[in-house]
Amino acid sequence: ASDGRTDEAFAKLDVFARYLPDRVKAQAGLAAVRAGGATDRQFDTVRGWLDRVLTAAPADGPMRLAEAEFFTLRQQPERAVEVYTKLLERDPRNVVALNNLAWLLAGDAATAPRALELLDRAARE
């Protein structure tokens, strides 16, 4: 997918899907859509994999980070903010969540002070 061949990446995932856990498919699918050029169907496929993993393990921090990134890639920053915020309630020292949430909040003058606070917390961790 990083070479602009997102369709081929998803075709490979389809070939090996029955051998791969949903967690691996979700992470690989997220990497493919992150590269750009993904279709709505491909995003929906990744969302399905994420949903299955998160249904089985709702407190899985790395998969919650993946979910937040998914929402960011789907141009749904408010949903990403919600996921990062909930993740930080459970794990207030999660540097990735602190950093990514700060980036999402930094562009709005109303939330920029909170973004600075989050970055300060991340730097201390």
Side-chain angles (χ1 to χ4, degrees):
S2 64
D3 293 334
R5 300 185 330 229
T6 305
D7 288 339
E8 287 181 50
F10 275 92
K12 290 283 188 193
L13 282 168
D14 286 341
V15 168
F16 297 105
R18 66 179 173 208
Y19 306 110
L20 301 172
D22 286 333
R23 179 185 189 87
V24 172
K25 291 184 281 193
Q27 291 287 13
L30 186 61
V33 299
R34 184 185 306 123
T39 65
D40 285 339
R41 182 174 170 268
Q42 291 164 337
F43 271 104
D44 290 345
T45 298
V46 173
R47 183 67 213 176
W49 292 329
L50 282 168
D51 286 345
R52 283 196 294 278
V53 173
L54 291 170
T55 296
D60 186 325
M63 292 311 294
R64 286 293 171 190
L65 288 172
E67 179 186 38
E69 181 180 359
F70 175 85
F71 287 133
T72 302
L73 292 168
R74 284 303 273 168
Q75 303 295 313
Q76 298 173 342
E78 65 287 339
R79 292 186 74 186
V81 166
E82 183 180 313
V83 172
Y84 286 129
T85 300
K86 286 180 183 177
L87 180 58
L88 288 168
E89 288 170 3
R90 283 189 303 250
D91 182 8
R93 299 177 67 185
N94 188 311
V95 178
V96 175
L98 289 165
N99 178 73
N100 292 357
L101 178 56
W103 274 101
L104 289 170
L105 298 176
D108 182 344
T111 57
R114 182 166 177 231
L116 287 173
E117 172 203 324
L118 294 167
L119 289 174
D120 184 52
R121 280 176 50 196
R124 288 180 291 172
E125 296 300 329

